[in-house]
Amino acid sequence: MTKMDFNIVLIGFMGAGKSTVASGLNRLYGMQIVEMDECIAKREGKSIPEIFETNGEEYFRNLETELLIELQKQTNLVISCGGGVPMRERNVAEMRKNGKVVLLTASPEVILERVRNNHDRPLLENHKSVEYIESLLEKRQEKYLAAADLVISTDGKTVEEICREIKGQILRIV
C-alpha cells in the first residue's frame, strides 16, 4: 500500500486494543506508530504514574496537547492516544487536525481480562473490577463518541480483521 497522506488517531479506553491495533496497522500498511504515553514518558524521563504523582494530571494533559499539535506536521502516522486524551476538548480539536479519529471499543469484561496483570495504569491500579471499568467507561463514553469519526468494536476479532475494517471504513470517508 502506498503511504497514506493522513494520520489515523486511535482513541478508546485502556485495554480497548489501541497499541495492538497500532502495531497491526504498522505491519499491514507501513504506518509509523506514535504511542503518546511512551513518547511523553521518554521525553520526561519518568513513567506515566510518576508524572501523575510528581507533576499532576493537568501537567500530563498539557504534554498530550503539545504532542498532538507537534504531530500535525507529519502524515502516515498511527497515533495511539492514552485513554484520557479525548476528555479534553482542545485535544479533540487537535486530533481532528491530525487525521481520522477511530474509537476502539471493548466490553468491560474484555478490558478487565486485558489489563488484569498490567500495573502501568494509574486510574485502574487499585480498582480492577468490571463494575469500576463500567463506571469509568460510562463517564467517558459521550466524549469518546463525540471525538470519533469511526467506531470499531475489538471484541472477538483478530488484529488483522480490525485493521482491515478500519482501512475499509476510512477510505470511504477520506
Side-chain angles (χ1 to χ4, degrees), residues 88-103:
R88 198 183 238 202
E89 302 261 339
R90 171 82 190 273
N91 287 350
V92 174
E94 300 306 337
M95 285 188 292
R96 289 225 161 106
K97 291 177 194 171
N98 260 306
K100 294 300 169 195
V101 181
V102 178
L103 169 60

Side-chain angles (χ1 to χ4, degrees), residues 1-57:
M1 182 174 176
T2 56
K3 190 176 174 197
M4 295 199 205
D5 61 355
F6 58 89
N7 297 323
I8 295 175
V9 182
L10 298 176
I11 64 169
F13 197 74
M14 53 194 105
K18 297 180 299 289
S19 296
T20 304
V21 170
S23 295
L25 290 166
N26 167 264
R27 193 173 60 253
L28 291 170
Y29 307 121
M31 297 185 80
Q32 184 185 336
I33 300 171
V34 176
E35 284 282 352
M36 286 187 66
D37 283 354
E38 267 178 38
C39 191
I40 290 169
K42 190 174 178 182
R43 287 178 176 186
E44 292 292 302
K46 299 176 187 169
S47 70
I48 301 304
E50 287 172 330
I51 296 169
F52 266 69
E53 196 176 304
T54 57
N55 303 95
E57 185 174 0

Side-chain angles (χ1 to χ4, degrees), residues 39-131:
C39 191
I40 290 169
K42 190 174 178 182
R43 287 178 176 186
E44 292 292 302
K46 299 176 187 169
S47 70
I48 301 304
E50 287 172 330
I51 296 169
F52 266 69
E53 196 176 304
T54 57
N55 303 95
E57 185 174 0
E58 183 69 15
Y59 176 82
F60 177 72
R61 299 298 173 204
N62 289 336
L63 295 175
E64 289 176 327
T65 304
E66 290 165 20
L67 181 56
L68 285 168
I69 292 166
E70 186 184 316
L71 293 172
Q72 292 165 19
K73 298 175 187 129
Q74 300 172 60
T75 59
N76 201 47
L77 300 177
V78 56
I79 302 165
S80 180
C81 297
V85 173
M87 296 299 98
R88 198 183 238 202
E89 302 261 339
R90 171 82 190 273
N91 287 350
V92 174
E94 300 306 337
M95 285 188 292
R96 289 225 161 106
K97 291 177 194 171
N98 260 306
K100 294 300 169 195
V101 181
V102 178
L103 169 60
L104 299 179
T105 64
S107 68
E109 294 77 13
V110 168
I111 289 170
L112 179 60
E113 193 52 44
R114 291 175 181 168
V115 302
R116 186 181 304 279
N117 298 316
N118 185 306
H119 300 288
D120 294 329
R121 302 174 190 271
L123 291 175
L124 276 189
E125 191 46 45
N126 298 309
H127 309 283
K128 289 184 181 160
S129 71
V130 168
E131 298 74 27

